[in-house]
Amino acid sequence: MLDSDLRLTFLQLIQRCDNATISRPTIDSDPSSEFDKEELVPLYLSNSPTSKDYQIPIGLLRPIIVEQLKFENEQSRRNNQRDLWILDHGQNSKPRVSFAGWADSPTKRSAAMKKLCEQWRDCGLFSDVCGPKKWRAELYPVYKDPFGPHDYPKDDDESKETNFAFEVERSACALFGVVTYGVHMTIYQEVESDKSRELKIWVPTRAKTKPTWPGYLDNSVAGGIPSGMGVFEALVKECMEEASIAADVVQKYARAVGSVSYFFRTSAGWLQPEIEYVYDMSIPPDIDPTPFTPKPLDGEVECFEFLDQNAVVSRMRAGKFKANCALVIIDLFIRLGYVTPDNEPEYMKILTRLHGRFEYERWKL
């Protein structure tokens, strides 16, 4: 956690989270790291030029993963099994990796990925990402178009075309550079008088036992969206599990207000392009606030504090919030009119960086 004397700007807070690049860094990006020199190889569903999935990348692979997939193919051949991967080394075009032709359905790809990731977990490979202490036992969806619909085969019927490509262990997503999805909600109250407007936000402290960002501050409610679950359904689930907020309260008062997206590279170089769907829950001024008061339930949160805007900003600037949570709160400040073009000189840079596309158009170039 950063020193309390450090004062990050809002743009610097965004850059901490939106820190990955696959092209030459711009003047506003973070200084290039050793990982920026790596040649990232796009991952595709199909290697058949006649397939509509041939030109649609679904992930980005670091060189260490490409080499490991090559090794997995060699092991398969030694065991008289089918290769899972087609590795095109790019003699006549850019290198690419795709699923083998036999893995031509979500079910087949999901089963193959389950076997592979569990094998890596059990043998201690990439233990900092998907080892036993990092394993989440939760499946995340991977979509053909990361900006497309969040569909899922109904009743295991794969006869109809869907955007859903396969599902994979949550902790292993960063190994394949696939886009993941989450949901964040801010529970807040505004009190207005003739001369001022005061904003207070419910802020949780993450449990020190969390596998990621232990002890950091978080959004009021936040969590990943598991495979096969809708966005609002995931929000309702997280509200009860993390904050003891009843489903009927969420359904009545939660409002979808947009999303934030960013391209995060971990300190170890792993790629995490992420989209977070954003919800607000404004506490009405003239009713009992008890149903809106969050309380820890599942052990993932140590405590909740009802902090005023100055306290929230101070802790954000000190780096005490989980990186992506700072983005959601900055987005809230903009939407409620607390951050404006008149009081924030980097307003447009902030606004555009909150809604990135991971340089997606460059993945296949």
Side-chain angles (χ1 to χ4, degrees):
M1 195 171 294
L2 298 179
D3 187 88
S4 59
D5 292 332
L6 187 62
R7 289 295 178 263
L8 297 165
T9 68
F10 284 164
L11 184 58
Q12 287 172 331
L13 285 166
I14 295 171
Q15 289 170 338
R16 289 179 68 208
C17 192
D18 187 37
N19 65 348
T21 181
I22 59 174
S23 59
R24 180 173 297 177
T26 67
I27 193 171
D28 296 318
S29 64
D30 289 342
S32 59
S33 71
E34 59 179 305
F35 304 117
D36 290 333
K37 301 175 184 178
E38 293 183 338
E39 181 179 16
L40 302 175
V41 177
L43 172 64
Y44 294 84
L45 292 179
S46 173
N47 197 51
S48 172
T50 60
S51 170
K52 55 183 156 183
D53 298 325
Y54 178 75
Q55 291 285 354
I56 303 176
I58 58 167
L60 287 175
L61 305 178
R62 297 177 62 197
I64 189 174
I65 296 296
V66 175
E67 289 302 311
Q68 184 61 38
L69 298 184
K70 186 186 305 181
F71 174 78
E72 297 296 339
N73 275 356
E74 293 169 355
Q75 289 292 95
S76 296
R77 292 167 198 157
R78 291 191 187 100
N79 296 325
N80 294 319
Q81 297 176 344
R82 296 176 293 184
D83 289 358
L84 176 57
W85 309 103
I86 297 176
L87 295 96
D88 186 335
H89 299 291
Q91 286 84 358
N92 300 314
S93 60
K94 182 177 177 179
R96 57 181 284 148
V97 174
S98 61
F99 283 88
W102 65 265
D104 58 358
S105 71
T107 296
K108 292 176 183 178
R109 290 188 287 262
S110 298
M113 292 295 285
K114 178 179 186 296
K115 179 180 178 181
L116 178 66
C117 293
E118 289 178 351
Q119 174 185 313
W120 287 356
R121 175 199 63 191
D122 295 343
C123 70
L125 198 60
F126 310 118
S127 60
D128 62 320
V129 181
C130 63
K133 292 183 179 179
K134 298 291 185 178
W135 194 263
R136 305 298 288 269
E138 182 178 16
L139 295 175
Y140 266 10
V142 177
Y143 297 107
K144 299 173 184 177
D145 177 359
F147 307 106
H150 289 222
D151 52 21
Y152 191 82
K154 294 183 178 180
D155 302 320
D156 296 325
D157 179 11
E158 296 182 347
S159 61
K160 296 182 179 180
E161 182 70 21
T162 64
N163 192 38
F164 176 76
F166 61 92
E167 55 195 12
V168 64
E169 156 62 28
R170 173 177 179 171
S171 64
C173 288
L175 299 177
F176 298 92
V178 295
V179 179
T180 61
Y181 306 84
V183 60
H184 288 238
M185 185 173 77
T186 305
I187 306 174
Y188 68 91
Q189 186 170 49
E190 286 188 290
V191 178
E192 298 190 31
S193 65
D194 293 338
K195 297 182 179 180
S196 65
R197 184 168 57 132
E198 181 185 21
L199 173 67
K200 299 188 75 173
I201 298 173
W202 279 107
V203 176
T205 298
R206 294 166 66 89
K208 292 183 173 61
T209 55
K210 291 278 287 182
T212 57
W213 302 89
Y216 278 77
L217 302 180
D218 209 319
N219 287 122
S220 306
V221 175
I225 302 175
S227 185
M229 185 175 291
V231 178
F232 191 74
E233 182 184 0
L235 175 66
V236 172
K237 177 180 78 73
E238 293 293 338
C239 281
M240 176 52 67
E241 291 179 355
E242 288 190 356
S244 306
I245 303 293
D248 61 328
V249 175
V250 181
Q251 291 163 354
K252 184 173 182 179
Y253 292 100
R255 295 291 180 267
V257 292
S259 66
V260 299
S261 48
Y262 49 87
F263 200 175
F264 182 61
R265 190 192 284 269
T266 72
S267 59
W270 302 111
L271 295 168
Q272 296 180 331
E274 299 183 342
I275 294 173
E276 309 290 352
Y277 295 100
V278 179
Y279 286 76
D280 285 353
M281 182 181 286
S282 176
I283 304 174
D286 301 322
I287 67 173
D288 179 10
T290 302
F292 304 90
T293 303
K295 297 177 286 293
L297 181 63
D298 64 1
E300 294 194 2
V301 171
E302 287 190 357
C303 64
F304 286 90
E305 298 175 273
F306 201 34
L307 302 178
D308 64 38
Q309 182 183 355
N310 289 335
V312 172
V313 170
S314 177
R315 298 183 193 193
M316 286 170 59
R317 293 195 188 280
K320 294 186 177 181
F321 273 83
K322 181 174 179 280
N324 63 348
C325 297
L327 272 64
V328 175
I329 295 175
I330 292 170
D331 176 70
L332 175 75
F333 290 162
I334 291 172
R335 290 186 291 99
L336 296 183
Y338 293 97
V339 173
T340 72
D342 292 317
N343 63 25
E344 174 51 69
E346 296 176 309
Y347 183 84
M348 282 308 301
K349 294 178 182 178
I350 290 169
L351 199 62
T352 54
R353 284 291 286 272
L354 286 172
H355 308 287
R357 287 179 56 86
F358 329 121
E359 299 181 274
Y360 180 71
E361 286 71 18
R362 296 182 61 88
W363 286 21
K364 63 182 179 180
L365 298 181

